[in-house]
């Protein structure tokens, strides 16, 4: 079915790929960007949207979201995740394999691909398990899973502690040019820990998680990448030492990239306050110096991408004593707003921020989106970076409401989200 | 003796083996001990038949019931057997270098029937004979050795022998099943089987052990067969007159499909016949160098 062309006029076009920023228009038709530039003010037969000077940019690409389908549809379905993503300006979501059953079988990947296509308004691309049953013991069928549509390979919230398993998986993945994404947090060093190890945890009487739980695995992985030559992405780093490890690896020319969660750019351990379980995360929120180091690493290019680490948890899993509560926070809908705080506080330019939220993840995943370019998919967002609001969790489209930004003052809201040339979210009509 | 001459001798043994009267006398009065530390139906019976056809007294030492199980060291076993004054000992051992070690401790001739992942020379010779008989030559042929090269003594011996005889040997396997640093030996390696088979005259498949297919070296049998199993579709990337070989025993549906294994391009049965002939040639050549030979 051919849709009517849509012409955005009077927009502030930002292409994070080239860093170019200009006033102008953009024409979307048949799912792709047909034309763009300052000259573009009209097009035949097109529906015209006057952007009123708002920013028109590629939709966000989120490399890390947990969705409860299959196995936990009360937490989140592909449909609800798609709606939440659309409201947050996220046009492509990579779903984690930590489902029930785990996404370690080509048939289940096929199911997710089809079901997402049928029910979600945004692109949802499944990451497949790196090891069978996410157990860290035997590598999954990387070749067949990739053929079935797996975009990358990860054990989600789990780490592969056995270095031999990791070595062989990296070696095998390299043969198939598959991307391995690893959550670097050694479960043995985490032990009973529930928050960042240090003074604050000691005051609260909570067992801590040392930064070394992250740095030791990350350092090991850098050695294994050097040994195997595989493409490797550290899912999320959280502390200054980790940034240094990645910086050094990149300087040596290793095929390594890494991400940071929006939470670790926005919050620190003090925000846990009096045991707020919505801030119980994995990796844990670190101290303010670490948060500053994360921002630093983002601006100098050590950190490639920002992820929402969207992890919906229902009330029963969160309304518990801190140590017993589940890890995770929802984040799809607040990703852009929270990230814009870095722009408003002059820590990073808007094109550079958008680069970490769209162009870079597209590059790492090998997607054609993430850029404003003729022929690229018309996955777009129109947003007012200054629009102020106070987050009310009841407004969240996600089935779970565990947002660490509940009641926070935020600036910057998505007006329109477009996926493949189709408007999937429009705040003007609310 | 040069390899071509040894293969010529093996050609003669093929004729002997195809006669009704198969008995020769070149090893008459000689004692041949088959010392197999690792079970092997095929190679052991091949050596046994070869020895018997040449007139030797052949004794099979079954390790399961031997003193080795009682804790005797390899060197002590060698010394014990040596005292029985055999003329030839044929040895198969699970450890690389074990045959070499044993050979240093005995006075008789020793034939390596396979040591660990190191070498299996008579397999390479029988493969060379099979190729030469079917293609008329070895020089210039493109030979793709595919599968578990890491653990394969067959692959190593074939790489050495066929390359020495002028074949262009390539290796096709997932990197996990390639010996690290193997590219330094100068053989082109391919992880994509279709590319590796392009233009091949000979496709030599290797056996994948069960314990290596369940997520340790490769994810699963299904996945292995999908990407590295030889089926008609992948074979179609080789030359139209390409021939298929396998040292056996085969895992049908793992490294090779049944229709290829039993198909017109398969030399697998012929390899077994050539095995006896090559081992006769090797034993006979050795016998002529034995004391009083």
């Amino acid at each position: 079915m051919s849709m009517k062309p849509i012409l955005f006029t009077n927009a502030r076009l930002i292409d994070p790929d080239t860093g170019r920023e200009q006033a102008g228009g953009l024409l979307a038709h048949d799912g792709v960007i047909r034309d763009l530039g300052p000259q573009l003010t009209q097009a035949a037969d097109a529906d015209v949207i006057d952007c009123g000077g708002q920013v028109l940019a590629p939709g966000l690409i989120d490399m890390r979201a947990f969705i409860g389908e299959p196995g936990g549809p009360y937490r989140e379905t592909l449909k609800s995740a798609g709606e939440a993503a659309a409201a947050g300006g996220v046009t492509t979501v990579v779903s984690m394999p930590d489902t029930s059953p785990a996404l370690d079988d080509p048939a289940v990947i096929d199911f997710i691909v089809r079901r997402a296509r049928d029910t979600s308004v945004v692109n949802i691309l499944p990451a497949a398990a790196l090891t069978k049953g996410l157990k860290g013991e035997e590598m999954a069928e990387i070749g067949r899973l990739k053929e079935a549509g797996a975009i990358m390979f990860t054990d989600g919230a789990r780490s592969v502690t056995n270095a031999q398993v990791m070595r062989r998986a990296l070696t095998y993945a390299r043969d198939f040019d598959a991307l391995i994404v690893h959550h670097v947090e050694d479960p043995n060093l985490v032990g009973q820990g529930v928050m960042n190890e240090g003074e604050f945890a000691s005051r609260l009487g909570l067992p801590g998680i040392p930064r070394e739980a992250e740095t030791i695995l990350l350092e090991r992985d850098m050695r294994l990448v050097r040994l195997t030559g595989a493409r490797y992405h550290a899912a999320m780093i959280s502390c200054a030492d980790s940034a240094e490890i990645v910086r050094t690896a990149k300087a040596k020319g290793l095929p390594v990239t890494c991400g940071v969660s929006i939470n670790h750019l926005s919050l620190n351990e003090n925000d846990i306050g009096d045991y707020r379980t919505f801030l119980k995360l994995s990796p844990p929120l670190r101290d303010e110096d670490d948060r500053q180091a994360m921002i630093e690493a983002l601006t100098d290019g050590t950190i490639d991408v920002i992820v929402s680490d969207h992890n919906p948890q229902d009330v029963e899993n969160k309304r518990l004593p801190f140590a017993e509560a589940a890890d995770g926070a929802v984040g799809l809908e607040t990703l852009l707003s929270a990230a814009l705080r870095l722009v408003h506080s002059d820590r990073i330019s808007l094109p550079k921020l958008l680069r970490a939220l769209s162009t870079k993840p597209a590059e790492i995943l090998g997607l054609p989106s993430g850029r404003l370019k003729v022929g690229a998919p018309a996955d777009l967002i129109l947003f007012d970076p200054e629009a102020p609001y106070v987050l009310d969790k009841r407004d969240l489209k996600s089935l779970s409401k565990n947002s660490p930004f509940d009641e926070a003052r935020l600036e910057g809201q998505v007006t329109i989200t477009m996926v493949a040339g189709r408007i999937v979210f429009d705040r003007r009509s609310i | 003796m040069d390899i071509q001459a040894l293969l010529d001798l093996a050609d003669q043994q093929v004729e002997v083996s195809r006669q009704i009267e198969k008995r020769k006398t070149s090893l008459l009065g000689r004692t041949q001990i088959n010392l197999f530390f690792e079970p092997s139906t095929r190679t052991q019976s091949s050596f046994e038949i070869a020895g018997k056809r040449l007139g030797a007294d052949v004794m099979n030492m079954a390790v399961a019931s031997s003193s080795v199980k009682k804790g005797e060291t390899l060197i002590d076993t060698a010394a014990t057997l040596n005292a029985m004054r055999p003329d030839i000992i044929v040895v198969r051992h699970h450890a690389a270098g074990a045959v070499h070690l044993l050979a240093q401790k005995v006075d008789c001739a020793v034939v390596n029937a396979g040591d660990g992942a190191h070498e299996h020379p008579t397999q390479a010779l029988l493969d060379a004979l099979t190729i030469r008989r079917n293609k008329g030559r070895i020089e210039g042929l493109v030979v793709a050795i595919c599968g578990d090269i890491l653990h394969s003594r067959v692959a190593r011996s074939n790489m050495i022998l066929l390359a020495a005889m002028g074949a262009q040997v390539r290796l096709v396997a997932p990197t996990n099943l390639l010996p690290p640093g193997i590219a330094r030996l100068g053989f082109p390696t391919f992880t994509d089987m279709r590319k590796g088979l392009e233009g091949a005259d000979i496709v030599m498949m290797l056996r994948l052990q069960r314990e290596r297919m369940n997520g340790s070296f490769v994810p699963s049998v299904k996945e292995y067969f999908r990407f590295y199993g030889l089926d008609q579709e992948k074979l179609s990337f080789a030359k139209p007159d390409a021939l298929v070989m396998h040292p056996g025993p085969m895992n049908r549906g793992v490294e090779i499909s049944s229709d290829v294994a039993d198909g017109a391009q398969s030399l697998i049965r012929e390899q077994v016949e050539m095995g006896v002939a090559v081992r006769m040639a090797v034993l006979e050549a050795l016998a002529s160098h034995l004391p009083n030979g």
Side-chain angles (χ1 to χ4, degrees):
Chain A
M1 189 185 70
S2 183
M3 281 176 303
K4 233 181 150 183
I6 294 177
L7 177 68
F8 295 91
T9 60
N10 192 21
R12 182 180 156 201
L13 302 169
I14 297 181
D15 178 19
D17 187 19
T18 56
R20 197 165 48 214
E21 195 176 337
Q22 59 181 349
L26 183 147
L27 180 68
H29 190 209
D30 285 341
V32 297
I33 298 170
R34 274 297 159 82
D35 196 4
L36 77 163
Q39 77 292 343
L40 193 63
T41 52
Q42 50 193 11
D45 301 327
D47 283 338
V48 177
I49 295 171
D50 185 339
C51 301
Q54 288 189 16
V55 173
L56 187 64
L60 310 188
I61 298 170
D62 182 3
M63 284 180 69
R64 190 176 176 87
F66 295 84
I67 300 173
E69 198 172 344
Y74 54 91
R75 290 168 53 207
E76 199 83 284
T77 60
L78 293 163
K79 182 171 192 286
S80 67
E83 282 163 6
V90 178
T91 51
T92 297
V93 177
V94 177
S95 69
M96 291 297 104
D98 315 40
T99 49
S100 179
L103 303 186
D104 65 356
D105 187 298
V108 188
I109 291 291
D110 187 62
F111 164 80
I112 297 288
V113 169
R114 286 163 192 274
R115 186 140 176 93
R117 200 161 48 202
D118 291 348
T119 65
S120 166
V121 293
V122 307
N123 307 304
I124 296 182
L125 307 174
L130 178 59
T131 66
K132 294 173 190 170
L134 309 172
K135 287 185 185 147
E137 292 162 4
E138 299 170 344
M139 74 173 102
E141 295 178 314
I142 289 171
R144 295 180 71 231
L145 288 161
K146 196 177 175 206
E147 284 185 337
I151 186 80
M152 60 188 219
F153 295 84
T154 179
D155 275 357
R158 299 207 206 178
S159 303
V160 178
T161 53
N162 185 322
Q164 176 73 293
V165 171
M166 193 63 173
R167 180 208 177 160
R168 296 227 178 102
L170 283 163
T171 302
Y172 193 78
R174 183 176 176 232
D175 291 348
F176 289 85
D177 194 29
L179 173 69
I180 286 189
V181 177
H182 196 211
H183 178 72
V184 279
E185 200 174 27
D186 184 334
N188 296 311
L189 267 176
V190 169
Q192 301 299 309
V194 294
M195 68 171 289
N196 184 41
E197 184 172 289
E199 181 195 342
F200 196 56
S202 295
R203 280 176 193 272
L204 289 177
L206 291 171
I209 300 170
R211 291 170 180 84
E212 284 69 17
E214 180 172 303
T215 55
I216 289 174
L217 266 198
L218 185 63
E219 186 79 72
R220 178 204 76 175
D221 284 355
M222 296 305 105
R223 306 268 162 184
L224 291 177
V225 169
R226 195 163 73 170
L227 178 65
T228 60
R231 285 203 292 141
Y232 173 95
H233 178 83
M236 298 180 293
I237 61 170
S238 69
C239 61
D241 283 356
S242 292
E244 199 46 48
I245 291 168
V246 175
R247 198 171 282 130
T248 306
K250 286 186 167 185
K252 284 182 187 159
L254 296 181
V256 166
T257 52
C258 85
V260 66
S261 96
I262 185 63
N263 302 315
H264 291 85
L265 287 171
S266 314
L267 306 163
N268 67 32
E269 60 180 352
N270 297 307
D271 291 303
I272 290 170
D274 49 357
Y275 306 97
R276 291 178 62 204
T277 61
F278 286 6
L279 288 97
K280 180 164 185 277
L281 305 171
S282 166
L285 292 170
R286 304 291 182 186
D287 68 18
E288 181 58 13
D289 288 346
D290 286 314
R291 187 180 81 91
Q292 291 300 327
M294 292 300 96
I295 298 171
E296 205 59 47
L298 177 68
T299 54
D300 74 15
T302 300
I303 290 176
D304 299 272
V305 306
I306 305 170
V307 296
S308 73
D309 193 29
H310 182 78
N311 192 347
Q313 296 292 348
D314 64 5
V315 180
E316 278 64 42
N317 287 328
K318 281 292 191 184
R319 204 182 284 155
L320 291 167
F322 192 85
E324 294 166 26
D327 291 333
V330 292
L332 280 169
E333 284 164 85
T334 45
L335 176 59
L336 180 63
S337 306
L340 282 169
R341 280 179 169 176
L342 300 176
V343 175
H344 296 313
S345 58
D346 289 326
R347 299 301 302 272
I348 193 169
S349 73
L350 183 52
K352 208 164 180 181
L353 177 76
L354 293 173
R355 195 171 154 70
L357 286 163
S358 58
T359 315
K360 264 297 187 179
E363 266 176 31
I364 292 168
L365 297 170
L367 301 174
S369 46
R371 35 193 78 89
L372 286 192
K373 194 173 130 188
V374 173
D379 292 356
L380 303 165
I381 48 171
L382 181 69
F383 68 97
D384 175 358
E386 262 84 46
Y389 70 106
V390 176
L391 184 79
D392 181 341
K393 69 181 174 193
R394 288 167 301 184
D395 294 339
L396 293 173
K397 307 226 182 265
S398 177
L399 294 183
S400 298
K401 311 295 178 190
N402 52 312
S403 170
F405 297 103
D406 188 26
E407 294 175 22
R409 289 168 187 284
L410 295 162
E411 262 180 86
Q413 239 182 347
V414 170
T415 308
I416 288 175
T417 302
M418 172 179 273
V419 174
R422 206 166 72 92
I423 292 173
V424 295
F425 176 80
D426 191 343
R427 197 175 299 279
R428 299 172 308 170
S429 62
I430 293 173
Chain B
M1 190 180 223
D2 115 302
I3 300 162
Q4 296 287 3
L6 189 63
L7 297 186
D8 292 343
L9 181 57
D11 270 328
Q12 294 170 27
Q13 310 295 359
V14 174
E15 298 314 312
V16 172
S17 293
R18 287 179 181 176
Q19 293 165 17
I20 293 171
E21 173 54 59
K22 300 177 176 65
R23 193 72 66 101
K24 292 180 79 176
T25 56
S26 37
L27 260 66
L28 200 62
R30 300 290 188 185
T31 301
Q32 172 188 336
I33 297 179
N34 291 339
L35 179 61
F36 277 62
F37 291 90
E38 210 179 53
S40 156
T41 319
R42 183 179 306 246
T43 308
Q44 186 173 331
S45 51
S46 185
F47 268 108
E48 184 177 354
I49 290 169
K52 284 180 172 165
R53 284 189 184 160
L54 296 174
D57 296 317
V58 183
M59 179 232 178
N60 288 318
M61 223 179 113
V63 161
S65 58
S66 80
S67 48
V68 175
K69 285 276 174 198
K70 299 172 190 161
E72 190 174 73
T73 66
L74 180 65
I75 290 171
D76 286 340
T77 305
T80 304
L81 290 177
N82 193 48
M84 297 178 193
R85 307 195 67 82
D87 300 286
I88 298 174
I89 303 181
V90 178
V91 188
R92 157 73 59 92
H93 199 282
H94 49 81
V99 179
H100 181 70
L101 177 63
L102 189 136
Q104 292 170 342
K105 305 294 173 188
V106 296
D107 303 317
C108 65
V110 173
V111 179
N112 185 354
D115 64 323
H118 177 223
E119 282 232 45
H120 192 356
T122 57
Q123 177 71 42
L125 287 167
L126 79 86
D127 288 337
L129 179 66
T130 310
I131 295 169
R132 200 181 74 166
R133 286 173 67 95
N134 282 277
K135 291 285 185 190
R137 67 193 165 104
I138 287 170
E139 193 168 4
L141 294 181
V142 176
V143 180
I145 303 179
C146 313
D148 187 1
I149 293 160
L150 177 64
H151 303 99
S152 177
R153 51 186 167 231
V154 174
R156 281 178 182 73
S157 283
N158 266 308
M159 284 155 62
I160 295 166
L161 181 69
L162 297 177
M165 297 183 78
Q168 296 175 41
V169 177
R170 327 165 157 168
L171 309 176
V172 180
T175 306
N176 274 327
L177 295 177
L178 281 171
I182 199 76
R184 301 278 293 270
L185 296 184
F187 299 107
T189 61
F190 296 83
T191 56
D192 181 331
M193 191 169 187
R194 289 174 181 84
K195 284 186 190 148
L197 293 192
E198 259 172 45
D201 297 286
I202 301 289
V203 182
M204 191 177 280
M205 299 307 300
L206 300 169
R207 177 179 170 78
L208 180 66
Q209 304 279 358
R210 287 224 164 261
E211 63 270 23
R212 291 168 189 142
M213 13 174 138
N214 293 322
S216 53
F217 289 87
V218 295
S220 69
V221 170
K222 244 189 216 170
E223 168 126 345
Y224 189 72
F225 185 71
R226 171 83 186 78
F227 295 101
Y228 295 100
L230 186 66
D231 52 16
Q232 291 292 359
E233 189 269 329
K234 294 194 199 81
L235 182 56
S236 71
F237 282 79
K239 282 193 186 155
D241 62 347
L243 296 171
V244 176
M245 305 176 76
H246 192 297
M250 283 182 280
N251 289 305
R252 290 170 184 266
V254 178
E255 69 261 359
I256 192 164
S257 71
S258 275
D259 56 342
V260 170
D262 305 330
Q265 288 169 273
S266 170
L267 295 176
I268 297 170
R269 295 281 164 262
E270 191 176 332
Q271 284 174 272
V272 180
E273 184 187 3
M274 294 309 123
V276 175
V278 148
R279 282 158 191 141
M280 287 171 76
V282 167
L283 293 172
E284 199 169 278
L286 269 179
S288 65
H289 289 84
L290 289 172
N292 312 318

